[in-house]
């Protein structure tokens, strides 16, 4: 009997970024993470996802920590393991589009301070919004560029669509491709079909990132790997399941003794889980880890709403004293999404569509109240959606204003010189300019806190080499 070819699946551990972002609103501190890094570094992960996404904002806003210093501490501790970040294309880690000079400088500084793999995505899968970040990352000889496609369902999202966009991503200069299933919508046999098709259209290594929200994720990872998926994202068990990822140990055991055997040591993983278990208990006691996010939420499949978006909606309705309208809002979301060109529901499109659905239901008239973000999406300020907007709705929202048809960032003049001026009085390190660029108000509060505490950036560890690209 012929021996089956070995094809070990690689693991990216998410506990230091997406796992705690998904379960406890990104509240794990650097001090809680550092003691276990040495052990995590011995595992043999493909990478540890530890930066980007909401960690940057949350570090400043809630933890009074400098995200750049966190990254440098990670780099000092992870001597054998690549560090990965999540980067929102032209939005970087914020919620608006930034000028190309800011995007380029942020990429440069991320790599200079320790990032090895940059996972870049756009909420609308508009690849024009990835171009600047991808080109900037490709200029950095130490960086790997991964482009993530936001997985979603809808008439336009056919296998041909996914195959075509994967080919375009390869042509853009990506080193790998990630299917980013942020809402946990990918069913096992759909995963088998999708990964199989992508394998036909691209030579790039393929990674699957999914969430356990609908209870499908482990089965979907299994089918994806059997269909040729090279890398999977998992979270160590105390911070797995629910709105997070499948458990690392479970997936390692699943593939043990098969051609996909990861080769990772379950005993070492067990010790890492033992470290994180008391931290999980602290979050449970404080109420930051709500047991509700740990269950299976079938509404995810029914309404295509990511877990974080659901909790957001509940909060909005609670504040308005209208929790009885929850079902109506859930039913309104797919209608708003259709009017808005059927975008994937991920930051910031998920918040925009969700908030608009809440406004439509609470006001008793569709699009009577329109938040400025809804107007921005209808003006094309976030880019191009896969399907056309509902023309009547667009007219109601933007009136006679002319929508943007070019890449939105083409209309934004260089911003770095202005940000440099504004941050001058607080600046201790070059990176402070980027912190301010993304979150001006939060950055000011953090810089004032830093001064009040009389803490200084450790310039022996700060990156002083990578200057901004010439504007």
């Amino acid at each position: 009997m012929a021996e089956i070819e070995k094809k070990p699946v690689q693991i990216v551990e998410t506990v230091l970024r997406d796992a705690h972002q998904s379960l406890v609103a990104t509240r794990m501190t650097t001090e809680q993470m550092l003691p276990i890094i040495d052990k995590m570094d011995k595992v043999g992960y493909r990478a540890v996802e530890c930066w980007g996404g909401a960690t940057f904002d949350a570090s400043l806003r809630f933890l009074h920590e400098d995200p750049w210093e966190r990254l440098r501490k990670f780099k000092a501790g992870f001597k054998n393991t690549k560090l990965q970040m999540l980067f929102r294309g032209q939005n970087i880690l914020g919620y608006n589009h930034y000028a190309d000079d800011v995007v380029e400088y942020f990429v440069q500084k991320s790599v200079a301070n320790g990032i090895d793999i940059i996972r870049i995505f756009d909420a609308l899968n508009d690849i024009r919004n990835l171009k600047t970040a991808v080109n900037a990352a490709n200029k950095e000889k130490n960086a790997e560029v991964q482009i993530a496609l936001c997985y979603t369902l809808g008439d336009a999202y056919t296998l041909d669509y996914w195959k075509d966009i994967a080919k375009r991503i390869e042509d853009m200069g990506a080193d790998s491709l990630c299917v980013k299933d942020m809402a946990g919508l990918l069913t096992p046999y759909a995963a088998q079909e999708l990964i199989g098709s992508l394998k036909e259209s691209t030579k790039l290594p393929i990674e699957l990132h999914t969430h356990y929200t609908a209870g499908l994720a482990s089965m979907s990872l299994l089918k994806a790997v059997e269909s040729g998926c090279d890398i999977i994202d998992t979270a160590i068990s105390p911070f797995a399941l629910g709105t997070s990822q499948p458990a690392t140990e479970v997936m390692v055991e699943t593939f043990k003794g098969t051609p996909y055997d990861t080769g990772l040591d379950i005993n070492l993983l067990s010790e890492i889980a033992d470290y994180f278990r008391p931290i999980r208990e602290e979050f449970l006691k404080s109420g930051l880890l709500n047991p509700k996010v740990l269950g299976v939420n079938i509404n995810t499949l029914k309404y295509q709403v990511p877990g974080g978006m659901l909790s957001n909606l509940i909060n909005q309705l609670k504040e308005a004293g209208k929790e009885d309208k929850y079902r109506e809002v859930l039913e309104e979301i797919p209608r708003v999404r259709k009017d808005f060109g059927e975008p994937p529901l991920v930051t910031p499109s998920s918040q925009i569509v969700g908030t608009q659905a809440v406004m439509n239901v609470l006001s008793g008239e569709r699009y009577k109240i329109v938040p400025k973000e809804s107007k921005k999406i209808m003006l094309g300020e976030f880019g191009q959606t896969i399907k056309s907007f509902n023309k009547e709705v667009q007219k109601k929202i933007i009136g006679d204003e002319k929508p943007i048809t070019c890449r939105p960032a083409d209309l934004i003049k260089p911003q770095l010189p202005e940000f440099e001026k504004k941050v001058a009085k607080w600046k201790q390190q070059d990176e402070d300019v980027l912190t301010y660029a993304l979150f001006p108000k939060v950055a000011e509060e953090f810089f004032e806190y830093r001064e009040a505490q009389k803490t200084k950036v450790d310039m022996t560890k700060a990156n002083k080499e990578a200057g901004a690209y010439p504007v």
Side-chain angles (χ1 to χ4, degrees):
M1 191 173 141
E3 194 178 320
I4 299 170
E5 186 194 349
K6 287 200 166 106
K7 192 179 175 294
V9 66
Q10 295 178 283
I11 301 268
V12 170
E13 173 60 61
T14 68
V15 70
L16 302 186
R17 206 284 298 175
D18 199 25
H20 75 108
Q21 180 175 318
S22 298
L23 293 179
V24 294
T26 332
R27 295 298 205 281
M28 205 185 293
T29 65
T30 305
E31 293 311 310
Q32 285 174 310
M33 300 172 190
L34 291 178
I36 196 62
I37 282 178
D38 187 49
K39 216 163 250 184
M40 289 178 74
D41 195 35
K42 294 181 172 74
V43 172
Y45 297 118
R46 164 182 154 84
V48 169
E49 192 200 46
C50 62
W51 212 62
T55 62
F56 198 95
D57 182 6
S59 295
L60 295 162
R61 192 186 300 263
F62 303 113
L63 306 176
H64 299 305
E65 288 186 11
D66 182 352
W68 298 101
E69 294 209 315
R70 173 184 287 193
L71 176 54
R72 294 195 277 264
K73 286 173 181 172
F74 285 158
K75 195 61 184 174
F78 282 109
K79 295 182 170 58
N80 311 298
T81 310
K82 288 183 175 177
L83 302 184
Q84 182 170 307
M85 75 171 290
L86 182 67
F87 192 102
R88 297 187 193 122
Q90 210 69 29
N91 290 10
I92 312 179
L93 305 175
Y95 306 105
N96 298 302
H97 278 214
Y98 298 91
D100 289 340
D101 62 339
V102 181
V103 174
E104 289 172 337
Y105 195 26
F106 203 100
V107 168
Q108 197 177 19
K109 280 296 188 185
S110 299
V111 175
N113 282 284
I115 289 298
D116 302 290
I117 303 171
I118 304 185
R119 176 181 289 173
I120 305 167
F121 80 97
D122 176 66
L124 305 182
N125 286 337
D126 183 346
I127 65 174
R128 299 174 308 167
N129 294 335
L130 305 174
K131 191 177 72 171
T132 300
V134 170
N135 290 348
N138 276 328
K139 284 181 191 172
E140 302 296 322
K141 63 179 188 294
N142 301 324
E144 281 183 49
V145 182
Q146 182 178 85
I147 295 181
L149 293 174
C150 297
Y151 178 77
T152 190
L153 304 171
D155 301 341
Y157 299 98
T158 61
L159 281 179
D160 284 341
Y161 165 81
W162 296 118
K163 285 163 78 169
D164 174 60
I165 200 168
K167 192 78 201 77
R168 288 160 70 200
I169 278 168
E170 188 171 6
D171 294 342
M172 275 181 88
D175 297 305
S176 62
L177 164 67
C178 173
V179 175
K180 179 178 166 60
D181 176 26
M182 56 283 163
L185 299 173
L186 191 60
T187 61
Y189 288 101
Q192 181 180 39
E193 189 178 38
L194 176 62
I195 300 298
S197 295
L198 290 175
K199 277 288 173 187
E200 288 168 16
S201 67
T202 176
K203 294 182 181 68
L204 294 176
I206 295 175
E207 183 161 352
L208 178 55
H209 173 93
T210 185
H211 290 250
Y212 217 93
T213 321
L216 297 164
S218 295
M219 294 181 283
S220 298
L221 288 185
L222 174 61
K223 282 294 176 190
V225 168
E226 288 176 351
S227 306
C229 185
D230 304 279
I231 311 152
I232 57 173
D233 287 8
T234 62
I236 203 77
S237 56
F239 282 87
L241 310 185
T243 48
S244 178
Q245 280 75 50
T248 306
E249 307 95 303
V250 171
M251 297 317 297
V252 166
E253 283 297 291
T254 298
F255 296 119
K256 198 172 178 183
T258 74
Y260 314 109
D261 196 326
T262 63
L264 303 190
D265 180 354
I266 196 72
N267 294 316
L268 183 53
L269 291 172
S270 185
E271 288 175 33
I272 293 165
D274 287 344
Y275 174 82
F276 281 106
R277 209 163 280 115
I279 297 174
R280 171 198 160 100
E281 291 308 312
E282 280 176 44
F283 282 123
L284 269 169
K285 275 185 204 147
S286 70
L288 262 172
L289 177 51
N290 185 333
K292 280 182 187 169
V293 304
L294 298 172
V296 169
N297 194 331
I298 208 63
N299 281 333
T300 298
L301 290 177
K302 209 169 165 191
Y303 302 108
Q304 298 187 36
V305 179
M309 185 178 167
L310 279 172
S311 51
N312 225 4
L313 293 178
I314 292 163
N315 283 341
Q316 284 179 326
L317 291 171
K318 198 181 272 182
E319 281 170 20
K322 298 283 186 182
E323 286 171 272
D324 58 319
K325 301 285 187 186
Y326 180 57
R327 177 76 47 200
E328 273 181 68
V329 170
L330 281 180
E331 286 166 0
E332 176 65 359
I333 285 169
R335 293 193 285 266
V336 173
R337 181 175 174 244
K338 213 171 180 64
D339 291 339
F340 283 23
E342 252 182 32
L345 294 179
V346 64
T347 303
S349 57
S350 52
Q351 288 89 333
I352 297 168
V353 169
T355 302
Q356 187 62 65
V358 169
M359 297 297 180
N360 286 0
V361 169
L362 296 190
S363 68
E365 183 190 323
R366 302 188 80 226
Y367 306 109
K368 182 182 177 183
I369 301 171
V370 177
K372 67 179 188 299
E373 286 75 19
S374 290
K375 191 173 179 185
K376 278 184 178 181
I377 212 167
M378 283 291 184
L379 280 168
E381 286 186 29
F382 290 103
Q384 197 171 22
T385 51
I386 177 70
K387 294 190 93 173
S388 301
F389 299 135
N390 178 323
K391 291 285 178 242
E392 281 176 37
V393 171
Q394 187 183 30
K395 177 81 176 158
K396 189 168 183 180
I397 290 177
I398 70 169
D400 295 326
E401 285 190 60
K402 204 169 164 43
I404 295 165
T405 53
C406 63
R407 182 184 74 113
D410 288 342
L411 304 174
I412 308 173
K413 293 189 176 91
Q415 294 171 313
L416 269 180
E418 192 55 36
F419 289 138
E420 283 279 7
K421 273 186 224 158
K422 286 185 172 170
V423 85
K425 66 174 173 178
W426 291 293
K427 187 177 169 184
Q428 288 189 24
Q429 57 180 342
D430 290 344
E431 290 80 357
D432 287 345
V433 178
L434 293 165
T435 301
Y436 180 86
L438 264 57
F439 303 105
K441 192 170 182 305
V442 175
E444 281 184 23
E445 286 168 8
F446 171 72
F447 296 148
E448 281 166 5
Y449 169 83
R450 186 170 68 183
E451 285 188 4
Q453 298 294 305
K454 297 187 168 50
T455 53
K456 292 276 179 207
V457 172
D458 184 348
M459 292 311 288
T460 61
K461 295 188 174 67
N463 170 263
K464 298 188 284 293
E465 305 301 315
Y469 287 107
V471 175

